Amino acid sequence: MRTQMSMLTIINAALSAQGLDEVTSLQDGSPEFRIMSRQWPFIVEAALETGRFPFARNEYFTQSRVPGKFGFDDGYAFPEVALHVRSVWTVVNDVKVDPIWVQDGSHVYVDEPGGVWMEYATVPDPSFWGANFSQGVQLRLQAVIARATQSGDASGLDGQAEIAFERAMTAASKSRSDQIPTRMSSFAAARFGRGTT
């Protein structure tokens, strides 16, 4: 599978960089591989939570309302694949509106009975990652191995990983558009624009 090969490639790059033998499958029983495979989801999810990477962003619209909590009238489930919800909005007369909202482990709560849009983060297939993000994951895995085997500079590898993730975030921010994703209504354009409709 494509995901397994990409994960395997990154893990093997970390093993090789630490002077260890590469593995041939994701069912490998070596101690180093078991340590890295346990740490993989934590490393990847932590990195994705700190940066707004386009390959990990998804939008979702729902009108499937449940009773609210935390002082809000309405609740909406977010997809199970979501790590967390980054933003919630509605569109009124072609204008994006950002209401106050909170989330728990499965729903967002807001005062919007007509449904909401959500942007949420997911863990995408590694084959969609950029080179800098992949390198950051590899360096974090190398640090895990260095700590487990007490060989190498784990702190230095963590520092290099942070630099790789920062480069990945910089590249991601350059690829983002500065434009608002919704069109302003003629009323809003007249009121807030430069006097044109």
Side-chain angles (χ1 to χ4, degrees):
M1 288 178 62
R2 190 176 182 187
T3 304
Q4 292 177 334
M5 289 306 297
S6 297
M7 180 180 177
L8 195 60
T9 300
I10 294 169
I11 286 177
N12 276 334
L15 286 167
S16 180
Q18 292 302 111
L20 299 169
D21 292 334
E22 294 185 2
V23 296
T24 57
S25 80
L26 292 177
Q27 282 72 44
D28 190 273
S30 68
E32 297 85 5
F33 180 80
R34 288 199 312 270
I35 290 167
M36 284 192 298
S37 63
R38 282 195 298 266
Q39 292 300 313
W40 174 274
F42 303 112
I43 290 168
V44 173
E45 290 177 21
L48 289 172
E49 285 179 356
T50 59
R52 295 177 75 88
F53 298 103
F55 57 80
R57 295 170 66 181
N58 293 277
E59 290 184 357
Y60 174 68
F61 178 74
T62 180
Q63 292 179 307
S64 298
R65 184 192 167 281
V66 298
K69 289 183 182 177
F70 311 117
F72 292 95
D73 292 337
D74 311 296
Y76 298 95
F78 51 79
E80 289 184 14
V81 296
L83 287 174
H84 63 277
V85 175
R86 293 184 188 270
S87 62
V88 173
W89 71 94
T90 61
V91 178
V92 179
N93 297 326
D94 295 328
V95 177
K96 183 178 177 182
V97 178
D98 298 311
I100 297 171
W101 60 280
V102 297
Q103 75 181 72
D104 61 14
S106 60
H107 291 75
V108 297
Y109 300 98
V110 62
D111 292 328
E112 292 291 341
V116 294
W117 283 93
M118 305 176 199
E119 179 191 319
Y120 62 92
T122 59
V123 179
D125 185 307
S127 61
F128 291 105
W129 299 351
N132 287 312
F133 190 88
S134 296
Q135 184 182 38
V137 172
Q138 175 194 327
L139 288 162
R140 280 272 192 258
L141 289 171
Q142 285 178 237
V144 166
I145 297 168
R147 281 190 188 89
T149 60
Q150 298 181 347
S151 61
D153 179 14
S155 296
L157 290 165
D158 278 330
Q160 291 176 46
E162 280 304 309
I163 292 168
F165 288 134
E166 285 174 21
R167 283 195 308 258
M169 282 189 271
T170 300
S173 68
K174 288 180 181 176
S175 70
R176 267 187 248 135
S177 171
D178 290 334
Q179 295 186 352
I180 298 172
T182 55
R183 187 172 57 85
M184 190 180 290
S185 71
S186 58
F187 175 77
R191 172 108 195 243
F192 302 111
R194 297 180 181 247
T196 60
T197 56

